Every structure is written in C-alpha cells, then in structure tokens.
C-alpha cells in the first residue's frame, strides 16, 4: 500500500503552479498510489481558499476510498474567519488535517497567528503539517520545537524535512519532540536511512508534493537501504496512524 500525505489541487497564486485532478489520477495509475491527502494550492483570500477546499471536498465525496482533504486557509485571516473555515473543513467536509505554510503566508509558527493553527489542530483533533525548508527564517524546522512542546497532544508533520539546507534542524527537532513527524519530500535518501534507524520509521511518511515527482520519491524509498518493514512504515503505516485513516483506506493493515 502507498499513501501520499502531501499533494495539492488547484491554482497556486504564490508559485504560479497549476495542480490538476488529471495529474492525481495519472499518479495513481502510473505508480499504484492507493490513497492521497489533498490540500489546496497556495492562495491568500478566503474566497479563493474556500473554492479550493470545496473542490477537494467534491473529489473526496466522489472517491472517498482514494482521497481525503487537508485545510490551508491563511493564518493571517481574522480569527473568527480562520476558525469558521477550519471548523467547516474538519467538522463538515471531513478533512483530516490543517496546513501551515510558513513562507507562502509569511507566518512564523511561534507567532500569535502561527500558534492559532496548532490551537485549532488541538481543538479539532487533527494533525498540523508545516512547510519547512525554502523560506528562511520562518521555514526553519527549529521553530517547531517550542510549539511542539506547547502542544504535546497535537501531531505535527514537518513537510519536506527542512529540505536539504535545513535537514540538520529537522533531526534536532525530532529528537527533542516525540510529537513531531515528517514527510520525506525533497529529502536526501541517506538522511532518511540515518533518521529512520535512529528515530524510528513510524515517524516518517511518503509524499509527492508535485504529482510528477512521485516516481522520484518512490525510487528514493526503494534505494535507501531500508528494510521491507521500514519501507512499509514510510509508505503507509505511519500515515494510517498519524492521520487516523484506518477506516478510510479499504485494505489497511492493523
């Protein structure tokens, strides 16, 4: 089984990308992806993100055995507006997580607006994924240490493991905070092997970010000298546990 915990759908206003449904189906068909957690592309206004949330929800309703949703409204929206949208996404649309994009939305995870994302992750009982890597200084993984310690009951996913430039901070942060997990997109295979052996394979998850990156990410898992058991944790078991997907994924292992 393969679960992709980091994929996008929609028009990206920040990086001028277009993430299409067709690309997701091509990824599924070409690489045997069983289940995908979709989040919006990067936009700033409430109207834009609601439209993208609704498009994700429509795809999830049509194919609940293939997709789940993740919310990503701008944390700098007024508190009541942000609250209403994340509550709608989780409580009404059934989304399984919230995203905090440090660089695209210019938000420090330790700031007032950054912390409200983790507060709503706690209140709604869902993980928070945080963009790390490109976008210094807000995208530094070390910023997640104080918030992970402040919210020990929230599963926090370090997107991209700090990429290569900040990979060392990911290692330090995950050593310090057991509620920090990571998706391995854009991360070196040799680092994954080292971290899996030291921190445990159950703390790492497969993702693509871009659908056409799927083959590269799968090859990385398969060629990083991981055992079959370790690969299974990365490819699906960690995601089942962290995102509570056991009842959504048709042939999930216990």
């Amino acid at each position: 089984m393969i679960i992709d915990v980091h994929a996008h759908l929609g028009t990206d206003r920040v990086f001028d990308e277009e993430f299409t449904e067709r690309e997701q189906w091509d990824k599924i068909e070409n690489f045997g992806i069983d289940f995908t957690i979709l989040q919006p592309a990067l936009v700033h206004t409430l109207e834009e993100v609601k439209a993208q949330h609704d498009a994700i929800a429509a795809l999830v309703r049509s194919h609940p055995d293939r997709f789940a949703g993740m919310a990503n409204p701008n944390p700098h929206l007024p508190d009541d507006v942000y609250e209403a949208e994340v509550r709608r996404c989780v409580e009404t649309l059934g989304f399984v997580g919230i995203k905090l994009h440090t660089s695209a939305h210019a938000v420090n995870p330790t700031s007032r607006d950054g912390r409200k994302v983790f507060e709503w992750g706690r209140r709604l009982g869902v993980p928070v994924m945080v963009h790390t890597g490109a976008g210094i200084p807000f995208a530094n993984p070390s910023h997640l240490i104080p918030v992970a310690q402040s919210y020990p009951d929230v599963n926090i996913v370090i997107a991209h493991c700090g990429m290569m430039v900040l990979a060392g901070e990911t290692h330090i942060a995950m050593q310090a905070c057991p509620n920090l997990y990571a998706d391995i997109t854009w991360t070196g295979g040799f680092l994954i092997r080292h971290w899996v052996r030291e921190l445990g394979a159950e703390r790492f998850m497969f993702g693509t970010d871009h659908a056409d990156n799927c083959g590269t990410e799968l090859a990385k898992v398969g060629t990083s000298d991981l055992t079959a058991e370790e690969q299974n944790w990365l490819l699906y078991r960690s995601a089942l546990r962290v995102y509570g997907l056991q009842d959504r994924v048709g042939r999930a292992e216990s």
Side-chain angles (χ1 to χ4, degrees):
M1 179 181 292
I2 306 172
I3 297 176
D4 179 355
V5 302
H6 189 154
H8 297 272
L9 185 68
T11 300
D12 194 304
R13 290 276 307 282
V14 177
F15 298 110
D16 287 334
E17 297 281 354
E18 185 72 29
F19 299 95
T20 69
E21 181 181 338
R22 181 66 262 168
E23 290 172 334
Q24 291 303 316
W25 287 113
D26 287 344
K27 177 195 74 176
I28 289 168
E29 294 163 8
N30 293 335
F31 297 103
I33 304 302
D34 294 278
F35 197 85
T36 299
I37 301 176
L38 285 170
Q39 58 186 271
L42 295 162
V43 295
H44 297 296
T45 70
L46 177 64
E47 293 74 19
E48 289 173 308
V49 80
K50 286 184 73 171
Q52 294 198 14
H53 287 156
D54 288 344
I56 291 170
L59 185 56
V60 172
R61 284 194 298 271
S62 298
H63 304 280
D65 59 335
R66 289 292 196 177
F67 299 102
M70 179 182 296
N72 188 15
N74 189 332
H76 294 308
L77 289 169
D79 290 353
D80 59 337
V81 174
Y82 183 87
E83 172 188 345
E85 184 58 12
V86 293
R87 288 177 68 98
R88 184 180 80 94
C89 286
V90 175
E91 296 176 341
T92 302
L93 303 181
F95 285 14
V96 298
I98 305 171
K99 176 72 175 286
L100 190 166
H101 203 296
T102 51
S103 63
H105 289 145
V107 57
N108 184 335
T110 67
S111 69
R112 177 195 178 281
D113 285 352
R115 284 179 177 267
K116 77 183 180 186
V117 182
F118 302 98
E119 180 62 33
W120 279 106
R122 168 187 280 170
R123 294 189 189 188
L124 296 170
V126 295
V128 174
M129 176 182 282
V130 182
H131 168 87
T132 65
I136 295 170
F138 294 163
N140 289 40
S142 57
H143 284 304
L144 298 178
I145 296 175
V147 291
Q149 292 172 339
S150 296
Y151 296 91
D153 51 344
V154 177
N155 290 331
I156 300 170
V157 179
I158 306 173
H160 317 308
C161 296
M163 298 179 173
M164 293 301 295
V165 67
L166 294 172
E169 288 195 13
T170 292
H171 184 225
I172 293 169
M174 293 184 74
Q175 282 181 314
C177 305
N179 58 321
L180 286 178
Y181 298 83
D183 85 51
I184 62 171
T185 52
W186 313 110
T187 305
F190 71 99
L191 292 172
I192 295 167
R193 179 177 64 250
H194 174 69
W195 294 341
V196 161
R197 300 285 158 77
E198 181 176 341
L199 300 170
E202 69 277 4
R203 297 181 69 184
F204 298 90
M205 290 172 278
F206 173 81
T208 60
D209 196 10
H210 292 249
D212 57 7
N213 190 43
C214 187
T216 300
E217 293 293 336
L218 284 173
K220 184 171 66 181
V221 174
T223 59
S224 294
D225 193 31
L226 302 175
T227 67
E229 179 75 3
E230 289 166 341
Q231 290 187 46
N232 283 337
W233 278 105
L234 266 66
L235 292 175
Y236 72 96
R237 288 180 182 164
S238 300
L240 288 175
R241 177 181 293 181
V242 172
Y243 285 98
L245 299 173
Q246 291 86 346
D247 294 335
R248 294 181 179 236
V249 182
R251 51 192 179 88
E253 289 188 358
S254 60

